[in-house]
Amino acid sequence: MTDFSVTVFHNPACGTSRNVLAAIRKAGREPEVVEYLKVGWTETRLRDLLTRMGEGPRAILRDKGTPAAELGLLDDGVSDEAMLAAMVEHPILVNRPIVETSRGVVLARPSERVFEVLDVRPDSFVKEDGEIVRL
């Protein structure tokens, strides 16, 4: 086994998130899986991930199936601080999966983006819907 660590902020109900886990395992890595809907977020953790991504909170805001609209988070001019506070209060507002390694952090949507931060990659992998992804 290697000391190359991979952390996946995961929602097991999400097909993309499940595909990312499968892709990481196909690459021969066993990730630390953080079910963020259960454990939640801290503002510090979100800020760190976003800094490493080179993005602001809007880049990881999920609106589908969340209270984002009701909370006014889709409006222009919402501050990063307000968005982060809402994400801490409502973890479902953070899109998934986010993958963190020593090579960087990505929102792995589509799931193939995970390979941007892995140190190895398989020749291909098969998504749960049967789609074959050749790398």
Side-chain angles (χ1 to χ4, degrees), residues 91-109:
I92 192 73
L93 290 168
V94 178
N95 213 341
R96 75 282 178 161
I98 295 174
V99 179
E100 175 183 36
T101 74
S102 60
R103 295 185 70 190
V105 177
V106 295
L107 173 60
R109 297 186 79 79

Side-chain angles (χ1 to χ4, degrees), residues 27-58:
R29 301 291 176 253
E30 186 55 41
E32 174 186 356
V33 177
V34 177
E35 289 190 34
Y36 67 91
L37 293 177
K38 290 181 180 178
V39 300
W41 293 105
T42 66
E43 182 179 333
T44 300
R45 185 67 167 144
L46 284 171
R47 283 187 186 279
D48 177 62
L49 292 170
L50 287 164
T51 297
R52 292 189 60 214
M53 289 172 74
E55 298 284 356
R58 193 169 295 278

Side-chain angles (χ1 to χ4, degrees), residues 36-37 40-41 46 61-62 66-68 71 73 83-95:
Y36 67 91
L37 293 177
W41 293 105
L46 284 171
L61 177 66
R62 182 170 181 85
T66 75
L71 294 170
L73 299 175
M83 208 169 283
L84 286 168
M87 289 172 170
V88 169
E89 185 174 347
H90 306 279
I92 192 73
L93 290 168
V94 178
N95 213 341

Side-chain angles (χ1 to χ4, degrees), residues 2 13 15-16 23 30 45 54 62 76 108 120-121 126:
T2 180
T16 300
E30 186 55 41
R45 185 67 167 144
R62 182 170 181 85
D76 291 337
V120 293
R121 61 173 58 194
V126 180

